[in-house]
Amino acid sequence: TQLLEQSPQFLSIQEGENLTVYCNSSSVFSSLQWYRQEPGEGPVLLVTVVTGGEVKKLKRLTFQFGDARKDSSLHITAAQPGDTGLYLCAGALIQGAQKLVFGQGTRLTINP
Amino acid sequence: GAGVSQSPSNKVTEKGKDVELRCDPISGHTALYWYRQSLGQGLEFLIYFQGNSAPDKSGLPSDRFSAERTGGSVSTLTIQRTQQEDSAVYLCASSPYWGGQPQHFGDGTRLSIL
């Protein structure tokens, strides 16, 4: 059983469309991170959210942490082929914890 | 280089052999992490170091796995008597401060056990 469930696991859309990826849990997290990973490379940290209800924007990407700190979403506006990759959410169960729990990832493909 | 460096990038070995994986963190980063990623999946925590100390070894899958860090810098992950289920990408990450989460990952070592 995954502590962090990501959905969808696979998503293929056309360039210019909008999309949302979800990361859900029954556990409360002190912080949550989103990473993007390309084939043959390590994950790259996109954002960290720590406060319930927090919203962070990174260009066309909007990240939200749920009020209860049990879930998060990543919304991409006007997706570009360069957004293609594996998106991973990861959470720390305890403040300052060094061990992150990862979701299984969402593989996103943006078609030109 | 400026990033986290891992070697080798690929390792193919026979079942039962021992393997050693190396991680060079970003200079000055005090925290170092090892994770394992099976094909197309999320990451599984293995171990982390604060300086040369490993306070949490609970993620190591079995006693065939061990890790050390020397001089607060380079770390090695050793797998003894490898099994086919050990096949995965082993990722190392570092962070500049205590209490943070892994910020900079290396590109990993892809380990294949025949």
Side-chain angles (χ1 to χ4, degrees):
Chain A
T1 302
Q2 286 278 138
L3 196 57
L4 272 173
E5 293 282 349
Q6 283 189 243
S7 61
Q9 291 192 39
F10 299 92
L11 182 60
S12 180
I13 62 172
Q14 295 300 118
E15 180 177 0
E17 294 183 358
N18 301 332
L19 67 107
T20 303
V21 175
Y22 299 93
C23 179
N24 295 300
S25 178
S26 57
S27 299
V28 176
F29 291 90
S30 66
S31 67
L32 197 137
Q33 287 74 33
W34 283 91
Y35 294 84
R36 177 168 161 245
Q37 185 178 24
E38 300 201 38
E41 299 182 4
V44 174
L45 179 65
L46 298 174
V47 76
T48 297
V49 286
V50 297
T51 305
E54 182 176 3
V55 176
K56 283 192 174 180
K57 292 192 175 184
L58 185 65
K59 297 184 181 177
R60 293 176 294 99
L61 278 60
T62 301
F63 304 87
Q64 185 163 6
F65 201 12
D67 291 342
R69 291 186 288 127
K70 293 183 178 181
D71 54 82
S72 181
S73 64
L74 158 60
H75 182 79
I76 301 179
T77 303
Q80 304 293 314
D83 297 327
T84 294
L86 180 68
Y87 288 81
L88 296 158
C89 68
L93 287 168
I94 301 171
Q95 186 175 4
Q98 302 299 307
K99 173 181 177 179
L100 284 184
V101 175
F102 277 80
Q104 75 272 44
T106 293
R107 188 164 298 282
L108 175 64
T109 303
I110 309 301
N111 303 300
Chain B
V4 176
S5 178
Q6 292 188 245
S7 60
S9 55
N10 285 283
K11 177 72 176 178
V12 181
T13 192
E14 293 180 346
K15 176 182 172 182
K17 301 286 189 184
D18 297 352
V19 296
E20 193 172 276
L21 313 180
R22 177 187 169 105
C23 173
D24 278 281
I26 294 173
S27 178
H29 279 198
T30 57
L32 184 147
Y33 312 80
W34 284 98
Y35 281 80
R36 177 168 75 172
Q37 185 175 30
S38 299
L39 185 63
Q41 297 297 307
L43 280 64
E44 173 191 10
F45 171 81
L46 297 178
I47 191 170
Y48 79 90
F49 289 89
Q50 177 58 27
N52 293 332
S53 171
D56 185 358
K57 300 182 180 179
S58 63
L60 294 177
S62 75
D63 58 9
R64 296 186 294 105
F65 287 71
S66 62
E68 65 174 13
R69 188 180 186 193
T70 55
S73 181
V74 172
S75 176
T76 54
L77 177 69
T78 301
I79 309 174
Q80 296 178 308
R81 306 181 302 281
T82 52
Q83 303 294 312
Q84 288 187 332
E85 61 263 29
D86 299 334
S87 296
V89 176
Y90 289 81
L91 290 157
C92 175
S94 68
S95 289
Y97 51 87
W98 171 248
Q101 279 78 46
Q103 293 190 357
H104 304 272
F105 278 88
D107 289 339
T109 294
R110 183 174 298 277
L111 177 64
S112 299
I113 310 299
L114 302 179

